[in-house]
Amino acid sequence: GQGFYFNKEVGSSADTQGIKFRSYNSATATFAEELGMIPVQIEAAELSQALATGVASAFISSGSTGYDRKVWEHLSHYYKVNAWLPRNYVMVNTQVWDGLDAATQAGIQQAADETAASCAARSEELANFYFDELAKNGMTVADAGPDFLSELEVIGAKMTEEWLADAGEAGQAIIDAYQAD
């Protein structure tokens, strides 16, 4: 999952005021602004240089990004928030699927379920590897505290409401389906 990188201890938005935050889209810019930070548009390829020169001093990303970019050279804290958990999916044409016999469907579904479990386990293993490596290189790696998480939930709810205002009933159907799972 995704987490926040900072160069100091952060317990709430009171600690993030005025920090230059690497944003790469409107959602990350909104998070920055809502937390009192200053969003700075920086592409992934420019992240290390931006941290080294002080153009940015915080960002949100995975443990792998921090490990790959050696952010411990410039930052000190990583807070796990699981802001989003990227997943890969395989899509199947409904007409083709419906044309398969039950035994074939069951075999494919079993393989898919086994693959999903295996990939989820590997993903967790890799995430823990990256967190361990960040810590070995001197970073504090911790779950975000309750105040910060609460603020993120409020921001997320506000962003969802704003999106629903634009997306209408079709958007609400998506949110309802997501929450039903």
Side-chain angles (χ1 to χ4, degrees):
Q2 306 287 300
F4 283 87
Y5 288 89
F6 291 104
N7 201 26
K8 65 178 188 172
E9 185 175 336
V10 170
S12 73
S13 63
D15 303 315
T16 62
Q17 301 303 300
I19 291 175
K20 291 183 263 180
F21 183 85
R22 180 244 176 171
S23 66
Y24 50 87
N25 60 28
S26 62
T28 56
T30 297
F31 267 107
E33 291 167 347
E34 291 288 330
L35 291 167
M37 296 187 280
I38 302 165
V40 181
Q41 179 76 29
I42 298 170
E43 299 304 322
E46 301 167 347
L47 180 58
S48 296
Q49 182 178 359
L51 295 172
T53 60
V55 171
S57 57
F59 67 101
I60 186 170
S61 194
S62 64
S64 65
T65 300
Y67 175 76
D68 293 342
R69 301 276 193 260
K70 298 182 180 179
V71 299
W72 53 82
E73 294 174 352
H74 309 288
L75 303 177
S76 59
H77 289 71
Y78 178 82
Y79 293 100
K80 301 176 195 178
V81 297
N82 290 327
W84 52 89
L85 301 169
R87 297 286 185 255
N88 294 317
Y89 291 92
V90 174
M91 306 306 234
V92 177
N93 180 293
T94 303
Q95 291 174 330
V96 172
W97 179 259
D98 290 345
L100 299 173
D101 62 81
T104 302
Q105 286 180 347
I108 292 170
Q109 187 62 57
Q110 180 180 349
D113 292 343
E114 290 170 1
T115 300
S118 174
C119 289
R122 180 67 177 137
S123 179
E124 184 175 349
E125 182 182 310
L126 279 172
N128 289 331
F129 166 80
Y130 293 128
F131 297 149
D132 290 346
E133 290 300 310
L134 293 174
K136 283 180 191 175
N137 283 284
M139 292 191 76
T140 298
V141 177
D143 291 331
D147 291 343
F148 193 58
L149 286 176
S150 177
E151 290 172 325
L152 293 175
E153 288 175 7
V154 168
I155 294 167
K158 179 179 176 185
M159 291 172 71
T160 300
E161 284 179 32
E162 291 170 356
W163 179 77
L164 284 171
D166 290 336
E169 290 181 22
Q172 187 62 57
I174 292 169
I175 296 295
D176 291 346
Y178 173 77
Q179 292 175 339
D181 281 344

